[in-house]
């Protein structure tokens, strides 16, 4: 069963088509990686899946993104943001204490304040961060390392109980150990979440993803040339572009 369905999705500015005519189903409880060279529209496509691109830029969208068989444009933006969470390439903690990083988004959804402590504890536990920060919850989140900040942002999203998590190169700025921690966490989270992630790290895509969508710049815009099971993609890609791309990367 698919969690998200994209139907003939295209994105363009006044002077440029970013990507064109992409139709993809994203089954639930899997990790889906979006790969391909820079400039093919992967990040724009990712952020179109919860309406961020259309709401906050001059990029125009055509086609539909369906969640539970309903166009995402029909959802309340706050509820949609809660249901389809986004983690960006650069960790983006709020300029407050670790604790307040949770309290502010929880207050937006009218969460009972009596439940805050339990939610914060459970969320930090899920990302393996509780023991590292339990004695500094009232300190600025900016005191954390890069890997800790990224896990904090993920924990903050998990506190809102999303069903889908969008990640735009979440480990590109992290050290190898922090990267492995995030990867292990994502593999655990897919038991209850659907994860869609942009990565330029092909070994990472091969390690953790269930499906791969291969983006390529063709006919003056980004297109998806292949979308298939990860094992099949890396062992038997069907296009020359994908084969060349795999062969030029370090696997």
């Amino acid at each position: 069963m698919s969690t998200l369905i994209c139907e003939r999705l295209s994105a363009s500015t006044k002077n440029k088509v970013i990507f064109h005519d992409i139709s993809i189903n994203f089954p639930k409880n899997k990790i889906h990686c979006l790969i391909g060279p820079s400039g093919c529209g992967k990040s724009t496509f990712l952020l179109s899946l919860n309406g961020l691109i259309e709401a906050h830029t001059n990029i125009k969208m055509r086609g539909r993104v369906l969640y539970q068989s309903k166009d995402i444009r029909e959802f309340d933006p706050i509820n949609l943001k809660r249901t389809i969470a986004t983690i960006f390439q650069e960790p983006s903690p709020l300029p407050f204490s670790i604790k307040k990083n949770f309290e502010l988004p929880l207050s937006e959804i009218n969460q009972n304040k009596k439940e805050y402590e339990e939610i914060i504890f459970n969320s930090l536990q899920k990302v393996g961060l509780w023991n590292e920060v339990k004695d500094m919850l009232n300190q600025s989140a900016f005191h954390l390392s890069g890997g800790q900040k990224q896990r904090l942002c993920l924990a903050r999203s998990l506190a809102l109980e999303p069903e889908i998590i969008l990640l735009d190169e979440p480990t590109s700025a992290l050290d190898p150990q922090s990267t492995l921690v995030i990867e292990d966490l994502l593999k655990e989270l897919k038991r209850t979440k659907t994860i869609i992630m942009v990565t330029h790290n092909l070994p990472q895509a091969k390690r953790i993803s269930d499906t791969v969508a291969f983006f390529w710049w063709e006919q003056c815009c980004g297109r998806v040339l292949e979308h298939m099971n990860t094992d099949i993609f890396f062992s038997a890609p069907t296009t020359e572009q994908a084969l060349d791309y795999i062969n030029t990367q370090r696997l």
Side-chain angles (χ1 to χ4, degrees), residues 104-212:
L104 285 177
L106 287 171
S107 67
E108 287 185 3
I109 61 171
N110 299 317
Q111 186 71 40
N112 189 336
K113 290 186 177 182
K114 294 180 180 179
E115 300 175 358
Y116 281 10
E117 289 192 10
E118 182 179 359
I119 292 172
I120 293 171
F121 168 76
N122 288 335
S123 301
L124 290 172
Q125 279 277 62
K126 288 177 183 177
V127 302
L129 198 54
W130 173 254
N131 288 334
E132 299 174 34
V133 304
K134 62 182 179 181
D135 296 324
M136 49 187 293
L137 294 179
N138 292 315
Q139 296 182 30
S140 171
F142 289 166
H143 291 161
L144 301 175
S145 69
Q148 288 175 323
K149 288 177 182 176
Q150 194 63 290
R151 283 186 285 157
L152 173 66
C153 292
L154 189 49
R156 187 178 64 199
S157 293
L158 292 177
L160 303 182
E161 299 184 350
E163 296 184 19
I164 302 168
I165 302 175
L166 311 177
L167 303 109
D168 191 3
E169 295 193 68
T171 64
S172 63
L174 304 184
D175 61 85
Q177 184 58 42
S178 296
T179 294
L180 290 176
V181 170
I182 295 291
E183 289 181 3
D184 287 343
L185 173 61
L186 295 179
K187 287 187 283 188
E188 177 66 23
L189 285 174
K190 80 171 184 176
R191 296 170 60 183
T192 57
K193 315 291 180 188
T194 300
I195 297 166
I196 306 172
M197 181 172 85
V198 171
T199 180
H200 283 101
N201 184 333
L202 256 64
Q204 179 177 72
K206 192 174 183 179
R207 282 194 301 270
I208 71 171
S209 70
D210 298 289
T211 77
V212 165

Side-chain angles (χ1 to χ4, degrees), residues 6-248:
C6 300
E7 294 184 343
R8 308 201 68 176
L9 200 63
S10 300
S12 61
T13 62
K14 185 177 180 180
N15 302 313
K16 176 183 178 182
V17 178
I18 301 171
F19 62 80
H20 179 66
D21 203 24
I22 295 178
S23 295
I24 295 182
N25 294 352
F26 292 107
K28 64 191 304 185
N29 302 124
K30 294 184 182 296
I31 298 176
H32 307 278
C33 277
L34 314 180
I35 65 171
S38 298
C40 293
K42 299 183 299 298
S43 293
T44 303
F45 175 79
L46 183 80
L47 298 180
S48 71
L49 299 180
N50 69 351
L52 281 178
I53 284 293
E54 200 165 31
H56 298 290
T57 72
N58 63 350
I59 295 172
K60 302 300 181 184
M61 304 297 304
R62 288 190 295 113
R64 298 194 302 170
V65 179
L66 303 178
Y67 171 64
Q68 295 182 344
S69 303
K70 182 179 176 181
D71 193 312
I72 62 169
R73 296 182 180 96
E74 299 177 28
F75 285 86
D76 174 77
I78 293 178
N79 288 336
L80 187 66
K81 182 179 177 181
R82 173 186 178 183
T83 302
I84 307 178
T86 305
I87 308 295
F88 297 97
Q89 181 176 357
E90 290 294 327
S92 54
L94 301 173
F96 305 110
S97 68
I98 294 170
K99 188 175 181 180
K100 198 167 184 178
N101 263 266
F102 291 89
E103 292 174 341
L104 285 177
L106 287 171
S107 67
E108 287 185 3
I109 61 171
N110 299 317
Q111 186 71 40
N112 189 336
K113 290 186 177 182
K114 294 180 180 179
E115 300 175 358
Y116 281 10
E117 289 192 10
E118 182 179 359
I119 292 172
I120 293 171
F121 168 76
N122 288 335
S123 301
L124 290 172
Q125 279 277 62
K126 288 177 183 177
V127 302
L129 198 54
W130 173 254
N131 288 334
E132 299 174 34
V133 304
K134 62 182 179 181
D135 296 324
M136 49 187 293
L137 294 179
N138 292 315
Q139 296 182 30
S140 171
F142 289 166
H143 291 161
L144 301 175
S145 69
Q148 288 175 323
K149 288 177 182 176
Q150 194 63 290
R151 283 186 285 157
L152 173 66
C153 292
L154 189 49
R156 187 178 64 199
S157 293
L158 292 177
L160 303 182
E161 299 184 350
E163 296 184 19
I164 302 168
I165 302 175
L166 311 177
L167 303 109
D168 191 3
E169 295 193 68
T171 64
S172 63
L174 304 184
D175 61 85
Q177 184 58 42
S178 296
T179 294
L180 290 176
V181 170
I182 295 291
E183 289 181 3
D184 287 343
L185 173 61
L186 295 179
K187 287 187 283 188
E188 177 66 23
L189 285 174
K190 80 171 184 176
R191 296 170 60 183
T192 57
K193 315 291 180 188
T194 300
I195 297 166
I196 306 172
M197 181 172 85
V198 171
T199 180
H200 283 101
N201 184 333
L202 256 64
Q204 179 177 72
K206 192 174 183 179
R207 282 194 301 270
I208 71 171
S209 70
D210 298 289
T211 77
V212 165
F214 175 64
F215 282 66
W216 191 256
W217 188 257
E218 186 176 75
Q219 299 176 356
C220 299
C221 62
R223 296 178 184 269
V224 172
L225 297 191
E226 305 198 27
H227 179 228
M228 61 182 67
N229 177 276
T230 299
D231 291 338
I232 296 175
F233 176 81
F234 283 104
S235 61
T238 61
T239 62
E240 289 187 14
Q241 295 93 327
L243 181 60
D244 289 344
Y245 185 70
I246 292 171
N247 288 337
T248 59

